Amino acid sequence: MGHVWFLLRWLHLLAMAFFVGGQMMLAAIVVPVGRRSADRESLLLIARRFGYGTLGALAVLVATGTAMAFHLDLWANGAFQAKLALVLAVGVLLVWHIRRSELHMLEALIFLLSLAIVWLGLYLANGYS
């Protein structure tokens, strides 16, 4: 059974890497280069494609995170509850961003909150509470 939990943690980390790493790639490379380009359509296609991948990554994160939270009995843990609150906030911001993509401050907020979620995940994974 230990292999199953190892696999779930691996999937969780892979989905997180896609979600946060993709945000880093967009912010550091794609958007700055795209803004200087006359081809805005390509930038929109890249962002839209990343958005679809993000939905898949979020589904994996929620499924694996829920399973691990039950397995590790984290529901009453304060750090885990803070992480859940941030995940909910990111979810709300993502929906808002989908509806109002011109509000670029939402991208920055989503990214910063995502980094905080990763921090709390590492905090929990290392046995702190």
Side-chain angles (χ1 to χ4, degrees), residues 94-104 106-107:
L94 283 171
V95 170
W96 190 9
H97 179 56
I98 289 168
R99 296 179 183 278
R100 300 286 308 270
S101 62
E102 74 278 3
L103 295 177
H104 299 295
L106 295 176
E107 297 161 356

Side-chain angles (χ1 to χ4, degrees), residues 53-107:
T54 294
L55 292 176
L58 288 173
V60 171
L61 287 166
V62 169
T64 57
T66 300
M68 289 187 298
F70 276 114
H71 177 68
L72 300 170
D73 194 26
L74 293 175
W75 297 100
N77 182 300
F80 181 72
Q81 291 174 353
K83 183 178 176 184
L84 283 179
L86 291 177
V87 167
L88 182 61
V90 165
V92 169
L93 290 172
L94 283 171
V95 170
W96 190 9
H97 179 56
I98 289 168
R99 296 179 183 278
R100 300 286 308 270
S101 62
E102 74 278 3
L103 295 177
H104 299 295
M105 69 159 187
L106 295 176
E107 297 161 356

Side-chain angles (χ1 to χ4, degrees), residues 28-75:
I29 298 168
V30 175
V31 171
V33 170
R35 284 192 178 144
R36 287 186 226 135
S37 171
D39 184 14
R40 292 277 194 200
E41 187 62 30
S42 291
L43 181 60
L44 291 173
L45 290 172
I46 291 167
R48 186 171 295 125
R49 180 69 144 232
F50 175 66
Y52 295 142
T54 294
L55 292 176
L58 288 173
V60 171
L61 287 166
V62 169
T64 57
T66 300
M68 289 187 298
F70 276 114
H71 177 68
L72 300 170
D73 194 26
L74 293 175
W75 297 100

